[in-house]
Amino acid sequence: MICLIYGSQIATIKTREKRLVNEFLDTPDEFNFVRLSGQEVTVQDIVEECRSLPLGYDKKVVIVEDAYFLTKPKPKVSIESLQDYDKLKKYLETNNPDTVLILAVTASSIDKSNEFYQAIIKQEDYREYALAEPTKDEYVTYVTQHFNQRLNSKITREAVDELIARVGNDLVSFQNNANKLVAYKNGETITYEDVCLLVTPPLEDNAFQIFNNLIRGKNREALSIYRDLKTQNVEVITLISMLANQFRLLNEVSYLAKKKYSDEEIAKELSLSSTRAKILHGNMRYISSDCINKTLEELYKLDYDIKSGSVDRFYMFELYLVNFRPY
């Protein structure tokens, strides 16, 4: 049997793998269960493992994670030149009935036109698990139930929304932060303030806050956010890149606004949230188009100077934040 699992969430892939292992094996051990990385072993090794008999058992399960040969385009991996794909295709066409081969891919989609997928789907006992992203409402329900039922804890709706905003769809990050919140509250209801205190917001949100403060002339606040990020070992080069992206985005918003686009139309055109589009549109009153272009040139030069090693990155970035003027 061959099973194919793919989705963008490692946690959900792992859960599906575990269910399949429990379905086919009563007691997994080193004689009937093998986990391999598709980027570290050749397909010849995978085929050999699948063809070897399970000692003392009726079934054997072989999980191949990072089965990159099912994706398009294929990532560059060190073992690519060693691969004998003809052996893999032959095995997929005539697989060992005593082995359950589970191919897992961390991606929202796979290449259904490639020869391996076409060989797999011709098998009678083939299974495919496409693990779709949950909708916003489904995710809110999942988060709430996770706290109430699995962690035996209560959480307010405002806290749920803020937690989702901070961890996104990263289930591993969510589960880690959920455990931290429950331990911190020790039986009490988890609130919005608790989430703000304990869960680190995405770096992009911090960069957006630095950007907003700079636009509004609040240099001290922007510097304070950066110094907090510095203690978390966030790289200056990363922040410069994110700031430049925000100014480029503001340029695009300015262009669309001049064409009489509404905030909702701008949000749709640039794939932004309506709130983010409204804030960016509002920022236009604080800075001119010429200043945006000038700022992008300054950020480019700062990035170049830091990468060339001619200046101290921490000192120069702080100096830039202190001296920034939106005019």
Side-chain angles (χ1 to χ4, degrees):
M1 174 179 282
I2 302 173
C3 302
L4 175 59
I5 308 172
Y6 57 94
S8 59
Q9 292 291 335
I10 294 176
T12 55
I13 290 175
K14 293 284 188 184
T15 298
R16 177 57 63 179
E17 289 175 355
K18 186 176 181 180
R19 288 178 184 174
L20 288 171
V21 172
N22 291 336
E23 177 184 344
F24 293 108
L25 302 177
D26 293 329
T27 309
D29 60 30
E30 60 184 308
F31 298 108
N32 65 4
F33 176 63
V34 178
R35 187 185 298 273
L36 304 171
S37 169
Q39 296 196 24
E40 295 178 2
V41 300
T42 65
V43 294
Q44 300 92 289
D45 295 326
I46 295 171
V47 170
E48 183 178 349
E49 194 64 62
C50 289
R51 290 200 181 281
S52 64
L53 297 175
L55 300 177
Y57 295 95
D58 295 329
K59 285 286 185 183
K60 178 180 183 178
V61 173
V62 176
I63 294 180
V64 179
E65 296 179 328
D66 300 319
Y68 74 93
F69 42 81
L70 288 166
T71 63
K72 185 180 181 179
K74 292 179 184 176
K76 294 181 180 179
V77 296
S78 58
I79 63 170
E80 181 62 23
S81 61
L82 305 175
Q83 301 283 36
D84 185 349
Y85 286 126
D86 286 339
K87 285 189 176 180
L88 175 62
K89 184 180 179 184
K90 185 177 180 181
Y91 176 80
L92 294 176
E93 293 171 341
T94 59
N95 58 88
N96 182 0
D98 296 325
T99 297
V100 178
L101 171 60
I102 301 173
L103 300 171
V105 184
T106 307
S108 58
S109 63
I110 57 172
D111 179 14
K112 294 189 176 183
S113 65
N114 81 26
E115 57 183 341
F116 308 120
Y117 181 80
Q118 292 300 317
I120 291 171
I121 61 176
K122 292 177 182 178
Q123 308 308 308
E124 292 183 1
D125 54 357
Y126 156 69
R127 296 188 192 178
E128 181 173 329
Y129 301 93
L131 308 179
E133 289 280 347
T135 65
K136 181 178 179 180
D137 289 341
E138 289 172 341
Y139 198 26
V140 168
T141 300
Y142 168 79
V143 170
T144 305
Q145 291 179 346
H146 184 84
F147 278 96
N148 294 342
Q149 299 174 12
R150 301 192 65 179
L151 300 179
N152 194 28
S153 181
K154 294 181 180 180
I155 184 170
T156 67
R157 175 56 192 267
E158 291 78 11
V160 169
D161 290 341
E162 185 61 25
L163 180 57
I164 290 174
R166 292 186 179 229
V167 303
N169 287 338
D170 187 337
L171 291 181
V172 174
S173 176
F174 160 68
Q175 290 167 0
N176 291 337
N177 280 292
N179 292 333
K180 182 166 61 175
L181 287 163
V182 170
Y184 173 73
K185 293 300 290 187
N186 193 27
E188 296 181 9
T189 299
I190 296 165
T191 65
Y192 170 86
E193 290 74 19
D194 298 324
V195 174
C196 292
L197 176 65
L198 295 179
V199 182
T200 304
L203 183 57
E204 183 181 351
D205 284 359
N206 281 301
F208 188 61
Q209 290 303 319
I210 292 175
F211 163 78
N212 278 329
N213 282 313
L214 289 178
I215 292 293
R216 288 167 167 77
K218 299 179 180 179
N219 302 59
R220 182 178 298 178
E221 288 83 347
L223 183 61
S224 177
I225 295 172
Y226 162 64
R227 286 177 174 169
D228 286 340
L229 293 175
K230 186 178 178 182
T231 64
Q232 302 170 30
N233 297 318
V234 174
E235 262 299 330
V236 167
I237 290 297
T238 302
L239 286 174
I240 290 175
S241 176
M242 288 183 166
L243 276 178
N245 287 338
Q246 293 298 334
F247 280 102
R248 291 190 195 98
L249 191 58
L250 185 59
N251 237 351
E252 294 176 350
V253 170
S254 176
Y255 173 79
L256 293 176
K258 289 176 182 177
K259 287 185 166 291
K260 307 301 181 183
Y261 277 55
S262 67
D263 289 344
E264 291 74 17
E265 290 170 331
I266 290 173
K268 184 177 180 180
E269 181 72 20
L270 300 179
S271 299
L272 301 172
S273 68
S274 56
T275 301
R276 183 67 61 94
K278 185 176 181 179
I279 293 173
L280 285 167
H281 194 175
N283 281 339
M284 289 166 45
R285 74 173 72 108
Y286 300 105
I287 188 170
S288 66
S289 295
D290 289 342
C291 186
I292 294 174
N293 293 325
K294 173 189 166 189
T295 299
L296 286 170
E297 291 177 4
E298 291 172 347
L299 288 171
Y300 172 80
K301 184 177 185 307
L302 181 59
D303 180 81
Y304 177 82
D305 289 342
I306 290 173
K307 288 179 178 177
S308 65
S310 61
V311 298
D312 180 272
R313 65 187 190 279
F314 303 116
Y315 173 75
M316 288 305 296
F317 189 61
E318 288 202 8
L319 192 64
Y320 178 81
L321 295 179
V322 169
N323 291 329
F324 179 87
R325 297 292 181 272
Y327 46 79

